[in-house]
Amino acid sequence: MSTAHRGELGGWQSRTTFVLALSASAVGLGNIWRFSYLAGENGGGPFVLTYLLCLVLVAVPVMIAEVVIGTHGRGSPPMAIRWTADRSMLSRGWMLLGVLACFTGLLVLCYYVVVAGWAVDYAWLMQAGEFGSASAADAGAIFGQLLEDPPRLIYWQSLFLLLVAAVVALGVRIGIGLVVWLLVPVMMVLLLVLVKFAFDNGDIAAAQEFLFSVKLIDFTPEAVLTALGQAFFTLGIGVGTGISYGAYAPERIPVGRSVMAVAIFDSVLTLLAGLAIFPLLFAHNMEPGMGVGLLFVGLPYAFGNSMQGEVFGTLFFVLVVVTALGSAIALMEPITTALMQRLRVRRIIAVLMVTAVVWLGGVVLAISFAPDGYIGPLAEGGPFRWLDRITSAVLLPVVALFTAVLVGWRLRPEILRVELYRESTLFFSLWRLLLRYIATPAIALMLVMALLAG
Ligand code: PHE
């Protein structure tokens, strides 16, 4: 039996640090790389609208539920859930939910470092002018070369992983707490500079038409599922981050409003990222539906053929790396603390263990892109796409579903009310209603459909 104590992991003194940390976790590859290629593949406007609806009705209530477990349980995800369940006389078995969340975060992190590694490589290529006047075919070839070069992939992703590990090893206050104060302003400035560049050099009208026009005909059940998955992914739900960061939040914060602020910030950044990307793509006649390679083929080509493209292209990929850093830290933290509390080891030991596993996972993925590997680069069914699919379509929703059931249906409402006492009664009732009657059935339905679709 573990002898862990509540609150032993430390915490932040200011509410702003908590909000910034959650924001840095929310904004990441999901906003820039994943959102843009999904919106591209799913026809733009209707997808954007569906995603926003899913965010408000399902993802935000679940995120609040996660943070409430954190502020109440004050521990790593498994421990916080166990303590919380104890208080409502529920089975200790609920802590498995925390274990699953941490494990899911580990899997996401494995492919997250791979994509972040691509971005670091691209920042390097961009500043070296590799894409200057490149043709679209050249841009495709450059991406192909990167994927077929495992040592190069492993080099960049290891560097990125090392940085993430260093921050997490420094701990809650001087590691995560300080770094997020730097990351969030930097990402905002970079993004605004890049939106300005896209407005000056891109086809703004085409991008607006694509992102914001709603053609009702395009709604497909497939797109709804993808949009819900993306809403979870972009807020960072289902991997224990909400619980961990909630556990570090100062006492008496307005949990509901803080999470809503983060969701708004996250969505605004997603739309701004769309406005930094699509005008350039359209100005260079690129197809928005080109899939995973959108950010690494279409966009570099567009930058390479714009005035001062190397400078702004470099800034763009630096932005991608900066946002990925905050998210990767948030993915590593929950499992690190779970190991600390479970095995009673020091933070640095736990970080080393997690880093070793993620590094190995990343190496396997990097090798799987190689030409003589039996799996084509990024092909459907390849390990990379499989991991993306299994985590966002199955694992994140499963964790979110059980979180909604635990908090919405099983925990005592009085306990929840205390954690959310800064919010109005109306807010509280509405939140519980959404959790019980919208989020729970919607996620369950999504899971069934995803399983039926294979
Ligand atoms: N929200 C991050 C993104 O959009 C990904 C993430 C998932 C971060 C889970 C933390 C936890 O890229």
Side-chain angles (χ1 to χ4, degrees):
M1 188 54 33
S2 169
T3 50
H5 300 292
R6 289 179 89 198
E8 69 178 358
L9 296 168
W12 300 308
Q13 267 152 8
S14 103
R15 172 189 164 197
T16 317
T17 307
F18 165 71
V19 174
L20 288 177
L22 266 194
S23 305
S25 135
V27 179
L29 298 172
N31 304 61
I32 305 180
W33 162 72
R34 205 166 181 277
F35 173 82
S36 54
Y37 93 75
L38 288 179
E41 280 181 344
N42 290 285
F47 177 80
V48 177
L49 194 69
T50 320
Y51 147 79
L52 287 174
L53 272 177
C54 293
L55 195 76
V56 174
L57 296 178
V58 182
V60 166
V62 175
M63 181 102 214
I64 295 177
E66 287 193 349
V67 176
V68 162
I69 297 176
T71 56
H72 187 71
R74 301 276 165 189
S76 65
M79 288 317 254
I81 292 181
R82 197 183 110 183
W83 281 315
T84 308
D86 272 353
R87 292 282 305 274
S88 288
M89 315 285 188
L90 300 175
S91 153
R92 292 213 161 144
W94 278 102
M95 78 188 274
L96 288 178
L97 176 59
V99 175
L100 184 64
C102 291
F103 177 69
T104 306
L106 189 72
L107 290 183
V108 174
L109 189 55
C110 286
Y111 82 85
Y112 214 84
V113 294
V114 174
V115 183
W118 300 348
V120 185
D121 187 281
Y122 266 59
W124 187 253
L125 293 181
M126 276 286 171
Q127 61 78 36
E130 285 283 326
F131 289 94
S133 330
S135 69
D138 294 340
I142 293 176
F143 190 45
Q145 276 163 14
L146 170 64
L147 292 182
E148 288 170 9
D149 194 347
R152 186 168 139 204
L153 289 168
I154 293 169
Y155 176 72
W156 291 119
Q157 71 199 35
S158 305
L159 213 67
F160 178 81
L161 180 61
L162 219 63
L163 200 58
V164 176
V167 176
V168 177
L170 282 173
V172 179
R173 276 209 195 161
I174 42 172
I176 306 172
L178 272 187
V179 166
V180 295
W181 278 86
L182 184 73
L183 291 183
V184 176
V186 168
M187 66 175 80
M188 281 166 66
V189 171
L190 282 176
L191 192 52
L192 290 178
V193 169
L194 286 158
V195 171
K196 165 97 172 59
F197 179 77
F199 272 60
D200 292 344
N201 295 277
D203 185 345
I204 265 302
Q208 275 176 349
E209 162 75 20
F210 174 71
L211 284 172
F212 304 122
S213 75
V214 177
K215 304 158 284 243
L216 278 168
I217 319 127
D218 288 351
F219 270 85
T220 63
E222 212 14 62
V224 177
L225 293 187
T226 313
L228 186 59
Q230 172 63 8
F232 286 149
F233 189 90
T234 190
L235 269 194
I237 285 173
V239 297
T241 304
I243 303 182
S244 278
Y245 284 6
Y248 309 149
E251 300 279 340
R252 290 183 283 279
I253 53 160
V255 172
R257 274 167 286 165
S258 303
V259 170
M260 287 200 317
V262 170
I264 292 171
F265 179 75
D266 183 62
S267 305
V268 169
L269 260 67
T270 296
L271 295 179
L272 284 177
L275 289 177
I277 294 170
F278 286 106
L280 291 178
L281 289 176
F282 287 126
H284 292 90
N285 299 318
M286 296 299 311
E287 251 297 303
M290 63 196 293
V292 180
L294 183 89
L295 212 61
F296 294 95
V297 178
L299 199 62
Y301 162 73
F303 273 119
N305 290 281
S306 304
M307 287 268 282
Q308 291 191 306
E310 2 28 297
V311 178
F312 289 90
T314 308
L315 289 182
F316 181 85
F317 284 99
V318 169
L319 167 72
V320 176
V321 176
V322 167
T323 61
L325 191 59
S327 299
I329 291 167
L331 285 161
M332 190 182 271
E333 175 66 11
I335 182 145
T336 301
T337 55
L339 290 177
M340 284 165 70
Q341 291 198 315
R342 178 73 213 171
L343 306 176
R344 305 265 85 211
V345 291
R346 300 216 324 270
R347 180 173 273 272
I348 180 75
I349 305 291
V351 169
L352 287 176
M353 290 162 72
V354 176
T355 306
V357 173
V358 174
W359 188 79
L360 276 178
V363 166
V364 171
L365 288 177
I367 294 172
S368 78
F369 300 137
D372 43 359
Y374 60 100
I375 300 147
L378 298 183
E380 283 294 332
F384 180 83
R385 284 299 283 256
W386 182 81
L387 209 55
D388 183 21
R389 179 71 52 88
I390 195 91
T391 48
S392 72
V394 182
L395 290 172
L396 297 185
V398 166
V399 176
L401 176 63
F402 281 100
T403 307
V405 170
L406 173 66
V407 177
W409 295 91
R410 308 287 291 135
L411 292 182
R412 293 219 215 103
E414 311 86 75
I415 292 182
L416 304 175
R417 190 69 192 108
V418 172
E419 295 304 326
L420 285 167
Y421 86 105
R422 294 273 309 265
E423 311 299 350
S424 68
T425 315
L426 178 68
F427 182 100
F428 181 77
S429 315
L430 197 64
W431 167 68
R432 250 187 113 229
L433 222 67
L434 284 176
L435 211 51
R436 286 161 76 94
Y437 300 110
I438 304 284
T440 307
I443 305 170
L445 186 72
M446 165 180 167
L447 270 171
V448 172
M449 286 175 64
L451 292 178
L452 287 183

